[in-house]
Amino acid sequence: MKKPAYKIAMLGAGNVAWHLAPALEEAGHEIICVYSRNLENAEALAQNLKTARATDFTDFTDFPADLYIIAVKDSVLPELLREAVFPAGSLVAHTSGTQPLSVFETNKNIQGAVFYPLQTFSKNTPVSFRNIPFCLETAHKNAMVLLQKTAESLSEKVYQVNSEDRKILHLAAVFACNFTNHLFGISAEILQQNQLHFEMLQPLVEQTVQKAFAQNPFSVQTGPAIRHDENTIQTQLQFLQNNPGYQQIYELLTRSIQQKS
Amino acid sequence: MKKPAYKIAMLGAGNVAWHLAPALEEAGHEIICVYSRNLENAEALAQNLKTARATDFTDFTDFPADLYIIAVKDSVLPELLREAVFPAGSLVAHTSGTQPLSVFETNKNIQGAVFYPLQTFSKNTPVSFRNIPFCLETAHKNAMVLLQKTAESLSEKVYQVNSEDRKILHLAAVFACNFTNHLFGISAEILQQNQLHFEMLQPLVEQTVQKAFAQNPFSVQTGPAIRHDENTIQTQLQFLQNNPGYQQIYELLTRSIQQKS
């Protein structure tokens, strides 16, 4: 299958754009320009690319593209959409997990879309797009075909997900990633306060993740809560007595595990 | 460096013994016998080994070994220690993360020890011991040398951890693994109820784990809580309205994240 090769404009030069733009070029597409409010950022990213030109203005009528990708912070998106001018009928997609498709409603002469890679990006951490799920949404049939071909040129996991389902994915990610990370923080703090290394837990945590995704996580639950090991539960609560906040989290999650079993 | 090769008796034929015994043999040691209350289990494991003989009796005076490893459930350990007879002066180590060294106090003529691999084991999941931290404890200097050589023949991560610190490690693992797994379960349930696949979150969860171990987890916290994104927080709480238990977990962890920031 011949790779589709599109002309793509990248609006944004932050963490997402930093990884997405080179990956798109690698997949055969042409990044015709990189926009950022901060011209320096746009130039830094454009320099990493073969084909891109940096801009700090938002009138794209002289930059006709098959696809405009907006990879900016949620808080900046509405403002950018108010300012930006696109050639009539352009396909414009944002990369946000939380912004609905309706955010494009005020831009009458474009085809709004979502091109959301379900991953967290940091500039210094290399990322392979092959396994990253792409969640696509648009009301326009031809636009969806183009989005799909673009996403499939990067990843093996391409889904159509509407705005309502994207909200649910986001909520699920808050539990599985944001809250989980906080528990890692508590765990690391408890160890550090006792001159022990959080790294000691890494193999166990990684195995916990593998098991959870291989089966239903509830069905592979282990630990004192599910064993109703009251002795250990009381000893551990006692140990946390100087931190009522952590005690409360311990009690609530222990109770929740026991209710599920 | 020539590998140390010890005569080792394996008491237990469950998940830990199932992986530990072959790994010890692979590392050059001789498993002289495998004990289980259930002779069938002992025989199944012994058959997987080159050298072992299965037994269902607990008098080991005819089985002199450099090291007796007890890999049984915590609840069975005290009973086994009451029953078992070892040659005088034997080095006997349990593999539990939660049982103190003092569990051996009633067995006067042996050297008690802990040989604790900090990992979770299932019979069907292959495991590489190379990266698994081993936590060792004993009051006897020569015994510690033998434990260390044995652990180092399996793993690159060998620690001396006393019973008090082992308790702290266990508490930290409850937060980082048991509670985390429960959050994965909630996340998977929310997705399944909306015909979405938990697998979609796997790359994001794996990246979250990598980041948490590369830096202080608190310093890489993301999500609506740390952004004080009250809009999203209220929408997500609203979505959980039919599940007050999950709402409570959401509120408590959100508050805890905000207090830490």
Side-chain angles (χ1 to χ4, degrees), chain A residues 172 181-182 187 189 217 246 256 260, chain B residues 172 181-182 187 189 217 256 260:
Chain A
N181 183 72
H182 186 61
S187 181
E189 186 182 294
Y246 293 172
S256 184
K260 268 289 153 198
Chain B
N181 183 72
H182 185 61
S187 181
E189 186 182 295
S256 183
K260 267 290 152 199

Side-chain angles (χ1 to χ4, degrees), chain B residues 111-151:
Chain B
Q111 300 182 51
V114 182
F115 188 79
Y116 167 45
L118 187 39
Q119 182 54 288
T120 173
F121 299 91
S122 332
K123 276 195 180 159
N124 298 321
T125 312
V127 138
S128 157
F129 279 89
R130 223 19 58 207
N131 287 311
I132 296 178
F134 272 82
C135 303
L136 311 180
E137 183 181 14
T138 181
H140 309 276
K141 220 171 176 179
N142 290 339
M144 180 55 84
V145 173
L146 193 150
L147 290 177
Q148 271 177 321
K149 284 188 179 165
T150 308

Side-chain angles (χ1 to χ4, degrees), chain A:
Chain A
M1 190 185 80
K2 197 175 165 294
K3 281 179 189 168
Y6 297 123
K7 283 185 192 302
I8 298 174
M10 183 62 66
L11 283 62
N15 292 341
V16 175
W18 195 258
H19 291 283
L20 187 55
L24 287 165
E25 220 176 39
E26 183 77 15
H29 308 290
E30 185 187 347
I31 308 297
I32 60 161
C33 69
V34 173
Y35 157 83
S36 170
R37 283 188 297 184
N38 180 323
L39 191 59
E40 262 179 62
N41 289 350
E43 274 169 352
L45 176 52
Q47 268 178 21
N48 277 3
L49 302 168
K50 296 185 210 99
T51 51
R53 176 181 152 185
T55 84
D56 62 351
F57 48 84
T58 50
D59 184 342
F60 297 97
T61 40
D62 288 341
F63 293 89
D66 298 307
L67 171 62
Y68 297 82
I69 295 179
I70 310 186
V72 299
K73 278 188 192 151
D74 284 1
S75 55
V76 182
L77 182 62
E79 192 190 323
L80 177 55
L81 285 178
R82 270 197 305 276
E83 277 181 17
V85 183
F86 301 99
S90 291
L91 174 55
V92 182
H94 74 63
T95 57
S96 166
T98 53
Q99 295 299 305
L101 187 62
S102 59
V103 77
F104 293 105
E105 270 170 7
T106 47
N107 300 58
K108 292 294 178 204
N109 74 339
I110 65 163
Q111 300 182 51
V114 182
F115 188 80
Y116 167 45
L118 187 40
Q119 183 54 289
T120 173
F121 300 91
S122 331
K123 278 197 177 154
N124 297 322
T125 311
V127 139
S128 157
F129 279 89
R130 222 19 57 209
N131 288 312
I132 295 178
F134 272 81
C135 303
L136 310 180
E137 183 180 14
T138 181
H140 308 277
K141 221 171 174 179
N142 290 339
M144 180 54 84
V145 173
L146 194 149
L147 290 177
Q148 272 177 320
K149 285 187 179 166
T150 308
E152 284 164 3
S153 71
L154 297 173
S155 168
E156 285 163 10
K157 296 181 180 170
V158 178
Y159 303 87
Q160 289 191 38
V161 179
N162 65 31
S163 295
E164 208 43 52
D165 281 352
R166 206 147 29 79
K167 272 190 195 169
I168 292 161
L169 264 177
H170 186 230
L171 172 61
V174 167
F175 276 95
C177 302
N178 303 154
F179 289 168
T180 284
N181 183 72
H182 186 61
L183 296 181
F184 293 153
I186 295 173
S187 181
E189 186 182 294
I190 291 170
L191 291 173
Q192 276 152 18
Q193 283 171 350
N194 293 279
Q195 284 77 51
L196 289 161
H197 299 291
F198 185 46
E199 290 71 36
M200 289 180 77
L201 291 183
Q202 188 163 0
L204 190 58
V205 168
E206 286 172 353
Q207 187 73 8
T208 302
V209 170
Q210 292 316 309
K211 274 192 183 176
F213 281 100
Q215 299 166 59
N216 182 321
F218 285 147
S219 74
V220 293
Q221 184 66 51
T222 57
I226 195 124
R227 284 198 310 271
H228 291 265
D229 177 352
E230 275 306 318
N231 239 335
T232 302
I233 292 169
Q234 289 312 320
T235 311
Q236 298 199 326
L237 281 170
Q238 183 68 20
F239 187 86
L240 294 170
Q241 64 184 333
N242 292 326
N243 198 319
Y246 293 172
Q247 254 185 346
Q248 229 183 326
I249 291 171
Y250 186 102
E251 276 182 323
L252 187 58
L253 289 173
T254 294
R255 214 182 319 139
S256 184
I257 289 169
Q258 293 178 341
Q259 275 166 1
K260 268 289 153 198
S261 73

Side-chain angles (χ1 to χ4, degrees), chain B residues 179-226:
Chain B
F179 290 167
T180 284
N181 183 72
H182 185 61
L183 295 181
F184 293 153
I186 294 174
S187 181
E189 186 182 295
I190 291 170
L191 291 173
Q192 276 152 18
Q193 282 171 350
N194 293 279
Q195 284 76 52
L196 290 162
H197 299 290
F198 184 47
E199 290 72 37
M200 290 180 76
L201 290 183
Q202 188 163 0
L204 190 57
V205 169
E206 286 172 352
Q207 188 72 9
T208 302
V209 170
Q210 293 314 310
K211 274 192 183 175
F213 281 100
Q215 298 166 60
N216 182 321
F218 285 147
S219 74
V220 294
Q221 184 66 50
T222 58
I226 195 124

Side-chain angles (χ1 to χ4, degrees), chain B residues 65-123:
Chain B
D66 297 307
L67 171 62
Y68 296 82
I69 296 179
I70 309 185
V72 299
K73 280 188 189 149
D74 284 0
S75 55
V76 182
L77 183 61
E79 192 190 323
L80 177 55
L81 285 177
R82 270 196 306 277
E83 277 182 17
V85 183
F86 301 98
S90 292
L91 173 55
V92 182
H94 73 63
T95 58
S96 166
T98 53
Q99 296 299 306
L101 187 62
S102 59
V103 76
F104 292 105
E105 270 170 8
T106 46
N107 300 57
K108 292 294 176 205
N109 74 339
I110 64 164
Q111 300 182 51
V114 182
F115 188 79
Y116 167 45
L118 187 39
Q119 182 54 288
T120 173
F121 299 91
S122 332
K123 276 195 180 159

